[in-house]
Amino acid sequence: MYIDLASASIAYISSEYEIERRISLKQITIIIYEGFKKLYGLNNKEEETFIEKYIQPILTTIDDEILNDKFCILKEDLDLFEIETEKIGVQRQMSVHYNDGIECIYNMLYDLNPLNEFNRSLKFLRLLNIIFDFITLCIEKQGVHLSNETRKVTSKSDEKINNILALKNLI
């Protein structure tokens, strides 16, 4: 998503013609909409999202208050951005499917405000950074949790081995 947004932004900046800039703005809209949909989903969630598939299982496995608090804050940010993303649903639809006619699509392209589109892109990139930080924290906490679980399992075996060795030394 980072690379796609960067590419569309560079295409906008380096465009020679106005129509090229408008098509780049259209791409930014599509990338944000589709990326957020895969990451967190929208109201009509059809398929499992990245958060549901990879993050929530970690949260249910690890009972960590700090992690849960950070997830609540992240979820609030995601919910707010979901509202903003849903607002561009019509733009996304028109940008991908051209069945509304060329004139409608042309008008939609020229109604796009570059400042608004780049601000939305910037918000999305900031949100991605927060998600990356949270995922890193999840991985760290999961590593500690797995180490502790492994230690519990191996400690029983270690104790049995030590008892056997102690018996051998007595003989």
Side-chain angles (χ1 to χ4, degrees):
M1 287 183 257
Y2 264 93
I3 293 169
D4 288 344
L5 279 174
S7 298
S9 299
I10 289 169
Y12 176 87
I13 292 166
S14 63
S15 294
E16 188 175 333
Y17 301 103
E18 184 62 24
I19 191 67
E20 291 176 300
R21 284 192 276 284
R22 296 298 164 172
I23 290 171
S24 297
L25 290 177
K26 172 187 81 112
Q27 285 305 113
I28 289 171
T29 299
I30 293 169
I31 293 164
I32 292 170
Y33 188 90
E34 292 300 322
F36 187 79
K37 186 171 127 185
K38 284 179 177 61
L39 184 68
Y40 186 65
L42 295 167
N43 270 342
N44 57 352
K45 296 177 182 175
E46 298 107 23
E47 49 191 70
E48 192 174 37
T49 66
F50 178 85
I51 298 286
E52 291 169 340
K53 188 173 184 178
Y54 297 107
I55 302 302
Q56 288 179 334
I58 293 172
L59 295 172
T60 56
T61 304
I62 303 168
D63 186 27
D64 185 278
E65 191 175 326
I66 294 170
L67 205 57
N68 288 326
D69 290 345
K70 287 188 180 284
F71 183 69
C72 287
I73 294 167
L74 173 60
K75 193 162 175 359
E76 288 174 10
D77 291 342
L78 290 165
D79 288 340
L80 287 174
F81 198 76
E82 179 181 6
I83 294 167
E84 188 170 338
T85 304
E86 287 174 344
K87 291 178 184 176
I88 62 171
V90 173
Q91 289 173 333
R92 180 263 174 215
Q93 182 71 13
M94 289 177 71
S95 297
V96 174
H97 306 288
Y98 301 124
N99 53 353
D100 286 337
I102 295 297
E103 187 177 338
C104 286
I105 294 163
Y106 181 84
N107 290 335
M108 181 271 302
L109 286 175
Y110 278 90
D111 288 341
L112 292 175
N113 181 322
L115 186 58
N116 290 343
E117 301 308 315
F118 276 100
N119 279 336
R120 186 178 300 111
S121 177
L122 189 58
K123 283 181 188 176
F124 189 54
L125 289 171
R126 286 183 181 142
L127 190 56
L128 287 175
N129 282 333
I130 293 168
I131 291 168
F132 288 146
D133 290 344
F134 183 74
I135 289 170
T136 302
L137 182 62
C138 284
I139 291 169
E140 289 171 359
K141 297 280 185 175
Q142 188 178 36
V144 169
H145 176 75
L146 291 174
S147 292
N148 290 339
E149 291 298 310
T150 302
R151 209 172 293 121
K152 286 178 188 175
V153 170
T154 59
S155 69
K156 292 175 184 174
S157 297
D158 289 347
E159 185 179 330
K160 288 178 184 177
I161 291 170
N162 287 336
N163 288 340
I164 292 170
L165 290 174
L167 286 174
K168 182 181 175 190
N169 288 337
L170 289 175
I171 297 177

